[in-house]
Amino acid sequence: MNKPRFLIISFIVLLVAVSSSLYAFGELKDQNSSMDKSNYIISEGDIVISKPEFDFYKVNIKLMNQLNATLDNSSDKIASLPRDQELIDEMLKKRISVQHAKEIGITVTEGEVKEVINREKNMLNSEEVDAQNQAIIREIMDQRIKLTGLSEEEFWDSDLVFKEYEKTLYIDKLYNKLIGEKVINDIQGFEEFQINLLKEYKNSHSINLE
């Protein structure tokens, strides 16, 4: 009974990440190409988080909380929005985990990414999701795509969508590798592993929230 809801939430979380990246990319294209560091919260090597990307991510988290309340029939209470630092940490954990996965030799092929993208697209019409929830997914997807300025076909075929799904696969493979090597035992252990990676990163990098 809980599986369809889990599928919905996981799909929309990824969709938010994808569309946030596309939206931020569009915002930055319209600005001066010689942007200084004040336009970024983080810009260190392969890990970059722009202010437009962060702002859009924050708005989408609020929408996600509202959606969770809608899907949870037992409560209409909307969760409070996390602090800016907590949101930054969540964005960072994903990027750092991908970086770590690559450093230890994990690879993701183009075929694997495309297979996942096709599966997610098909889920929009999946019989596992009831009609009401499916309508919610479609409405959210339509709004996200509008913000990117792309058609639906362009959205799914875009390089940035590909890269976001690629990141998700890197993290999934990292999790499975750590489980297989008994470095962690469950998802809670993986969360602790990511937190430790984040601590190491923050000890040597500055974050601009001004």
Side-chain angles (χ1 to χ4, degrees), residues 32-40:
N32 191 306
S33 59
S34 59
M35 295 175 67
D36 59 43
K37 286 189 176 182
S38 66
N39 291 291
Y40 295 93

Side-chain angles (χ1 to χ4, degrees), residues 55-185:
D55 291 340
F56 192 67
Y57 178 78
K58 186 174 181 178
V59 169
N60 277 282
I61 291 300
K62 183 177 180 179
L63 294 175
M64 276 295 305
N65 288 346
Q66 293 172 341
L67 176 65
N68 279 326
T70 300
L71 294 176
D72 188 353
N73 295 325
S74 64
S75 172
D76 59 358
K77 184 178 179 180
I78 298 176
S80 60
L81 191 67
R83 294 181 298 107
D84 285 358
Q85 185 60 65
E86 293 173 320
L87 294 174
I88 287 292
D89 286 350
E90 286 304 311
M91 297 177 80
L92 265 175
K93 279 192 293 186
K94 180 174 182 178
R95 287 159 170 76
I96 296 168
S97 296
V98 171
Q99 187 179 69
H100 181 75
K102 291 178 179 180
E103 289 173 352
I104 63 175
I106 291 175
T107 59
V108 171
T109 68
E110 180 179 351
E112 287 174 322
V113 179
K114 289 184 175 180
E115 181 181 351
V116 172
I117 290 175
N118 288 332
R119 186 168 69 241
E120 295 295 309
K121 287 169 63 178
N122 292 336
M123 200 190 79
L124 287 171
N125 300 308
S126 172
E127 293 182 356
E128 292 185 78
V129 183
D130 65 42
Q132 180 182 0
N133 291 336
Q134 204 168 68
I136 293 173
I137 293 174
R138 171 58 66 180
E139 175 62 24
I140 289 178
M141 179 177 177
D142 288 344
Q143 293 302 318
R144 297 299 181 269
I145 293 177
K146 285 179 182 177
L147 286 171
T148 68
L150 303 175
S151 68
E152 183 171 343
E153 183 178 354
E154 289 171 334
F155 175 83
W156 287 110
D157 290 340
S158 68
D159 184 55
L160 285 171
V161 167
F162 181 93
K163 289 184 183 303
E164 283 300 326
Y165 279 95
E166 183 180 46
K167 290 174 188 175
T168 301
L169 276 174
Y170 270 112
I171 293 173
D172 182 63
K173 287 191 174 186
L174 175 61
Y175 171 78
N176 289 324
K177 179 177 176 62
L178 295 175
I179 287 286
E181 295 176 350
K182 301 190 184 303
V183 175
I184 60 173
N185 297 316

